[in-house]
């Protein structure tokens, strides 16, 4: 298998827009092409990742740039759609099938709670136990009971990530919050308040993966390599946490461990999620995530910055975009191009993590 590199990445600002999403998705692709120094005609295949954008949405995006006849594959895998597209593009390049593959993730979303259920509803659905705020709230209550995690520790995730988002020009929300504002915002599912939930946003991001010969030919910057990738689903036969199992597979592929990770972008759809992911990814022991947030370990200035982009909490969570936006942030951070939100620990290895409805999880490990 060949080494695979990120040659270029690009985004557009997240928010709520009247424009058709394929236009913004095409802009993200053009931004990635400019960053890569690659002509659109050189792209040999593309993955278009989205959840609710309908039939052949990817073909609508590429038609905005130019109909070159390339292979376009649409990918839907819940919140992990973007990172799943990255996963498949990796193997296309690593196997030698293609030298240049583009992945574009995009979503145009409605306000309010995302309804992931369809068809006949169970009693759990009707009681509100199968919607994301309810599921994460139950996880929060359990963690509080088992480990003494406090509402203040969960709220600090929101404070941290909204502060980070102030420095990200692509973030939906660019406003600092106080701990009191987060804790006293409207309760949505006890103990989670409104400002501990990510917004539903429109947005698009793109990444271009290339073989080593293309990377070395076209690059005068640090080469950014995708060294580990894993996409997995839940199993009834194992007690191991899904994120832990997925991460361990990626760590093994990359020949690194959690102690080697210098920064991470994780799936902080709700604040408790980020704390749970600290533990599941091996950044700390079970029950110790509250200490990490209290001590500032995961701040931009900390020893293990998490979600320097602002995360889903501040940047937003356009479902098909998220995994690719995380890659954009890690690439920019490893290059030292993140300006005011640049992490201070001279990162060499970064990690992205997404998970979604249906029990899907993806972890990617990126190095320079």
């Amino acid at each position: 298998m060949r080494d695979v590199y990120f040659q270029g990445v690009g985004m557009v600002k997240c928010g709520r827009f009247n424009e058709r999403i394929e236009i913004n998705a095409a802009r993200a692709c053009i931004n990635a092409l400019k960053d890569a120094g690659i002509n659109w005609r050189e792209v040999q295949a593309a993955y278009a990742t989205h959840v609710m954008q309908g039939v052949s949405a990817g073909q609508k995006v590429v038609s905005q740039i130019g109909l070159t006849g390339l292979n376009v594959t649409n990918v839907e895998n819940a919140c992990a759609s973007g990172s799943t597209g990255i996963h498949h593009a990796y193997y296309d390049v690593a196997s030698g099938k293609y030298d240049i593959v583009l992945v574009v993730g995009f979503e145009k979303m409605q306000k309010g709670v995302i309804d992931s259920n369809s068809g006949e509803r169970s009693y759990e659905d009707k009681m509100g136990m199968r919607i994301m705020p309810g599921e994460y709230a139950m996880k929060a209550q359990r963690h509080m009971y088992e480990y003494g995690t406090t509402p203040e520790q969960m709220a600090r995730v929101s404070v941290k990530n909204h502060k980070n988002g102030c420095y990200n020009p692509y973030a939906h929300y660019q406003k600092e919050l106080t701990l009191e504002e987060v804790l006293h915002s409207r309760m949505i599912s006890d103990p989670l308040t409104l400002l501990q939930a990510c917004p539903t946003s429109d947005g698009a991001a793109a990444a271009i993966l290339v073989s080593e010969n293309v990377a070395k030919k076209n690059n005068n910057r640090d080469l950014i390599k995708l060294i580990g990738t894993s996409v997995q689903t839940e199993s009834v036969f194992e007690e191991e946490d899904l994120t832990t199992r997925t991460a361990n597979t990626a760590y093994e592929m990359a020949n690194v461990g959690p102690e080697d990770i210098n920064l991470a972008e994780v799936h902080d759809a709700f604040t408790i999620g980020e704390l749970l992911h600290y533990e599941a990814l091996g950044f700390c022991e079970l029950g110790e995530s509250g200490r990490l947030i209290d001590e500032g370990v995961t701040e931009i200035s900390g020893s293990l910055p998490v979600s320097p982009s602002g995360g889903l909490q501040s940047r937003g969570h356009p479902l098909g975009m998220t995994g690719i936006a995380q890659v954009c942030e890690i690439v920019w951070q490893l290059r030292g191009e993140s300006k005011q939100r640049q992490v201070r620990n001279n990162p060499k290895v970064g990690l992205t993590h997404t998970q979604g409805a249906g029990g899907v999880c993806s972890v990617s490990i990126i190095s320079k």
Side-chain angles (χ1 to χ4, degrees):
M1 300 286 276
R2 302 189 297 179
D3 289 339
V4 179
Y5 297 83
F6 287 108
Q7 180 71 17
V9 293
M11 283 185 67
V12 296
K13 181 176 170 56
C14 297
R16 299 194 187 281
F17 306 107
N18 294 325
E19 289 180 301
R20 301 197 315 273
I21 190 60
E22 57 263 30
I23 294 175
N24 272 332
R27 286 173 178 156
C29 292
I30 291 168
N31 289 341
L33 288 165
K34 289 180 179 177
D35 185 53
I38 286 176
N39 186 282
W40 174 238
R41 291 180 178 274
E42 297 179 86
V43 177
Q44 298 165 305
Y47 287 94
T49 68
H50 51 93
V51 178
M52 299 181 287
Q53 304 312 301
V55 176
S56 298
Q59 282 76 2
K60 295 175 184 177
V61 173
V62 302
S63 71
Q64 300 293 318
I65 310 171
L67 295 173
T68 61
L70 81 167
N71 173 10
V72 179
T73 302
N74 291 276
V75 176
E76 187 279 306
N77 206 14
C79 300
S81 296
S83 43
T84 301
I86 295 287
H87 179 80
H88 286 288
Y90 169 86
Y91 281 104
D92 278 354
V93 176
S95 67
K97 183 178 181 180
Y98 299 117
D99 284 315
I100 303 174
V101 179
L102 179 142
V103 187
V104 56
F106 51 95
E107 208 76 53
K108 191 171 186 65
M109 301 183 67
Q110 301 298 317
K111 291 184 178 181
V113 176
I114 300 169
D115 187 356
S116 60
N117 301 305
S118 61
E120 186 175 350
R121 293 179 178 270
S122 66
Y123 284 111
E124 291 91 341
D125 295 332
K126 295 175 181 179
M127 293 172 67
M129 297 175 68
R130 293 286 299 277
I131 60 172
M132 288 301 159
E135 290 193 19
Y136 275 96
M138 287 187 283
K139 292 178 180 180
Q141 293 284 5
R142 187 67 188 180
H143 208 264
M144 292 168 70
Y145 173 77
E146 288 191 350
Y147 302 113
T149 306
T150 67
E152 289 77 14
Q153 289 171 329
M154 288 182 271
R156 285 191 180 97
V157 173
S158 178
V159 173
K160 170 180 71 73
N161 290 353
H162 280 88
K163 181 179 179 181
N164 293 351
C166 290
Y167 308 122
N168 185 354
Y170 301 107
H172 186 162
Y173 290 109
Q174 298 171 330
K175 178 184 177 182
E176 287 195 49
L177 300 174
T178 66
L179 189 65
E180 290 72 23
E181 285 176 317
V182 175
L183 289 170
H184 295 146
S185 60
R186 178 166 56 89
M187 183 67 69
I188 56 172
S189 192
D190 191 19
L192 300 175
T193 61
L194 181 64
L195 293 178
Q196 296 182 66
C198 68
T200 53
S201 312
D202 304 344
I208 298 174
L209 290 81
V210 303
S211 60
E212 185 172 11
N213 62 311
V214 174
K216 290 184 175 179
K217 176 182 176 182
N218 294 341
N219 208 322
N220 58 3
R221 301 174 296 207
D222 288 328
L223 294 178
I224 307 298
K225 184 190 297 189
L226 178 55
I227 60 173
T229 174
S230 178
V231 179
Q232 301 200 20
T233 54
E234 289 179 342
S235 170
V236 297
F237 303 108
E238 295 177 341
E239 294 184 3
E240 188 176 33
D241 180 88
L242 172 61
T243 289
T244 300
R245 175 161 49 87
T246 308
N248 285 342
T249 304
Y251 287 145
E252 182 177 359
M253 178 179 177
N255 196 29
V256 300
E259 68 280 0
D260 299 306
I261 303 301
N262 303 129
L263 79 153
E265 286 280 323
V266 304
H267 196 85
D268 61 318
F270 296 86
T271 53
I272 183 60
E274 181 166 313
L275 297 182
L276 293 174
H277 304 328
Y278 294 172
E279 299 171 8
L281 292 166
F283 298 158
C284 64
E285 298 295 327
L286 291 175
E288 290 294 310
S289 56
R291 176 183 59 81
L292 262 62
I293 195 74
D294 282 343
E295 295 178 357
V297 172
T298 57
E299 298 274 357
I300 284 177
S301 57
S303 59
L304 179 56
V306 175
S307 299
S309 69
L312 283 63
Q313 291 279 316
S314 179
R315 183 194 62 236
H317 184 26
L319 302 179
M321 180 210 77
T322 292
I324 303 170
Q326 291 179 333
V327 165
C328 290
E329 183 66 19
I330 296 297
V331 170
W332 287 325
Q333 291 283 352
L334 293 178
R335 288 178 183 168
E337 296 176 350
S338 296
K339 299 181 180 178
Q340 285 182 283
R341 70 183 187 281
Q342 182 65 44
V343 301
R344 315 286 198 262
N345 62 348
N346 189 26
K348 299 292 191 298
V349 182
L351 176 148
T352 70
H353 161 267
T354 54
Q355 64 180 49
V360 60
C361 180
S362 175
V363 172
S364 297
I365 300 174
I366 304 166
S367 74
K368 69 175 181 179

